[in-house]
Amino acid sequence: LQGTYNSTVPMQSIVWSPPTGLSHTFLLNPIANPTQSTTYTLTITNIYGCVGADSVDVIRTVVSADAGSGTSICPGESVVLGTPRNNKTQYQWQPATGLNSDTVAQPLASPQQTTLYTLTITDSNGCQATDYVKVTVWPNPNFSGSAATPICQGDTASLSVTGGQHYQWQPGASISCDTCASTLAFPQQSTIYTVTGTDANGCADSTTISLTVHPPPNIQATGSSPICAGDTTTLQANGANSYLWSPGNSLSCAVCPNPSASPIGTTTYTVIGTDVNGCTDSATVVLQTRNGPPIQVSGDTTICPGGTASLSVQGGNTYQWTPGNSLSCQQCPSPMATPNQSTTYTVTAFNPIGCNSVDTVRVTVAGLGATSIVGDTAICPGDTAQWQVQGLTQWQWQSNQAISCVQCPD
């Protein structure tokens, strides 16, 4: 307190009242530290007993600082400190690191590490108060994803992540579980998956897993069809690096791109092709088999030397007779045969697609055998001669003389 005495008459006494909160009550300038607002009165008496008095008000101001409650944040997050502003109060935050302002009531704090902030406030009377708040920054989640092995289109890959408690996969349409640590992925094309994980502190981190999807090879297979039963044709496959044909029992090679096929009947061949990435595709070839035409051959007969036999074949469209040197036509359905000796003729008949049937016909040329005429060789005039033919079954006698029977054996 600041008391003064403006007189030349010496003072007798000095008294401050009330004495509460004063360092002294008998000095002109005591120190006042009341616990509440107080009116102090100074009374001075001089040596003549004259008294003078004056009063002064000491206003007790209560100043308090509130830096807010301690809090925890994840890396990269922010939190508001302090309480709403009092316009008659000045604010000072320390350290200023991570604050958007160090002189406002409620700064935005974004520290990179755990930090203890100190708030000092000063009111209009110059009174100050201090408070503290701790902002704990959790460590980054230890979050990682497994490397993905490339797959073929239509296959499934196993993907997994670690380091979190809760997960979210994106995009989720091509995975079996979009909130699991391990999931199965089946995209139709190469895809980059983003996985966001949350740890026990609620902090999130993300990672990406790239999954390559190889398209299948384009396998093409061809073969000439139909074919004749018993014939062989070549199958052809392309578009891959290796091949496997089935069924393989009628093929020259089951792992060749172009095997020869000799099917017993109509057969569907399947070829599986594998490319450099191990991806597969398949194609089929249907080989239809056709039999030769049904034919009927006639003409088995016996002829005399120099005779002619009529051969005939029915069924088929075109023909080939062998041997042809004794035939009137090798490519006719009904040639005439004039063999010099007994001969077996073979006819091959073809249908419109070239399949054939084969049959034979035999023409036998009859020989005269051992033939003789026995009987009288000389007679007297007026007598009768008798002859007999041996080795023949039919006869015709010719003579310029009278004979008893032209068609008798004797």
Side-chain angles (χ1 to χ4, degrees):
L1 301 179
Q2 300 293 322
T4 59
Y5 179 66
N6 298 319
S7 176
T8 59
V9 178
M11 291 183 293
Q12 178 67 38
S13 64
I14 298 173
V15 178
W16 287 92
S17 62
T20 305
L22 295 177
S23 60
H24 299 88
T25 60
F26 49 83
L27 297 177
L28 278 176
N29 300 312
I31 296 175
N33 187 22
T35 58
Q36 60 185 358
S37 297
T38 303
T39 300
Y40 288 100
T41 300
L42 170 62
T43 301
I44 300 175
T45 304
N46 63 17
I47 57 173
Y48 300 112
C50 296
V51 177
D54 198 4
S55 299
V56 62
D57 292 328
V58 177
I59 306 301
R60 179 68 178 182
T61 301
V62 178
V63 181
S64 63
D66 186 358
S69 301
T71 187
S72 299
I73 61 173
C74 297
E77 292 183 346
S78 301
V79 63
V80 176
L81 306 181
T83 57
R85 179 181 179 84
N86 184 333
N87 291 332
K88 295 182 180 182
T89 304
Q90 295 180 352
Y91 297 84
Q92 184 63 55
W93 293 87
Q94 290 184 343
T97 304
L99 300 179
N100 65 339
S101 174
D102 61 351
T103 59
V104 298
Q106 292 182 286
L108 187 66
S110 306
Q112 299 300 308
Q113 59 187 2
T114 298
T115 303
L116 180 65
Y117 288 100
T118 300
L119 170 63
T120 300
I121 65 172
T122 304
D123 67 7
S124 57
N125 296 310
C127 298
Q128 292 185 329
T130 301
D131 195 17
Y132 306 91
V133 62
K134 183 179 182 181
V135 179
T136 300
V137 181
W138 297 117
N140 278 312
N142 184 18
F143 190 52
S144 62
S146 62
T149 301
I151 62 172
C152 300
Q153 192 175 79
D155 289 348
T156 299
S158 178
L159 307 180
S160 63
V161 289
T162 58
Q165 287 191 332
H166 305 285
Y167 304 95
Q168 184 65 54
W169 295 76
Q170 291 291 341
S174 59
I175 56 177
S176 60
C177 177
D178 62 358
T179 59
C180 301
S182 297
T183 188
L184 297 177
F186 40 86
Q188 294 302 302
Q189 58 188 2
S190 296
T191 302
I192 297 176
Y193 291 96
T194 299
V195 192
T196 301
T198 305
D199 64 11
N201 299 316
C203 298
D205 191 17
S206 63
T207 188
T208 58
I209 299 177
S210 179
L211 178 59
T212 299
V213 178
H214 295 300
N218 182 19
I219 303 301
Q220 296 179 340
T222 58
S224 179
S225 181
I227 65 172
C228 298
D231 285 355
T232 297
T233 188
T234 299
L235 303 180
Q236 295 179 330
N238 57 66
N241 289 73
S242 62
Y243 304 90
L244 178 62
W245 292 87
S246 64
N249 54 356
S250 58
L251 297 176
S252 62
C253 176
V255 294
C256 301
N258 304 317
S260 296
S262 304
I264 301 302
T266 296
T267 302
T268 299
Y269 292 96
T270 300
V271 60
I272 298 175
T274 304
D275 64 12
V276 293
N277 298 312
C279 301
T280 62
D281 189 24
S282 63
T284 59
V285 178
V286 178
L287 288 188
Q288 296 179 335
T289 58
R290 296 288 187 267
N291 294 320
I295 60 174
Q296 293 180 341
V297 177
S298 61
D300 285 330
T301 188
T302 300
I303 62 172
C304 296
T308 299
S310 176
L311 309 183
S312 177
V313 59
Q314 293 181 341
N317 292 78
T318 60
Y319 311 94
Q320 184 67 43
W321 292 86
T322 59
N325 55 358
S326 58
L327 295 176
S328 63
C329 176
Q330 283 187 265
Q331 297 173 340
C332 302
S334 302
M336 302 301 292
T338 56
N340 294 323
Q341 58 186 0
S342 297
T343 303
T344 298
Y345 293 95
T346 299
V347 60
T348 302
F350 299 88
N351 61 16
I353 64 173
C355 299
N356 65 77
S357 296
V358 178
D359 204 349
T360 61
V361 61
R362 183 166 180 80
V363 176
T364 302
V365 178
L368 294 178
T371 304
S372 63
I373 300 175
V374 296
D376 297 328
T377 58
I379 60 172
C380 295
D383 289 346
T384 300
Q386 185 175 9
W387 298 287
Q388 183 178 26
V389 178
Q390 296 179 343
L392 295 178
T393 57
Q394 294 181 349
W395 306 266
Q396 180 70 46
W397 293 92
Q398 293 181 351
S399 175
N400 57 2
Q401 298 295 325
I403 54 177
S404 61
C405 177
V406 297
Q407 293 182 334
C408 299
D410 53 14

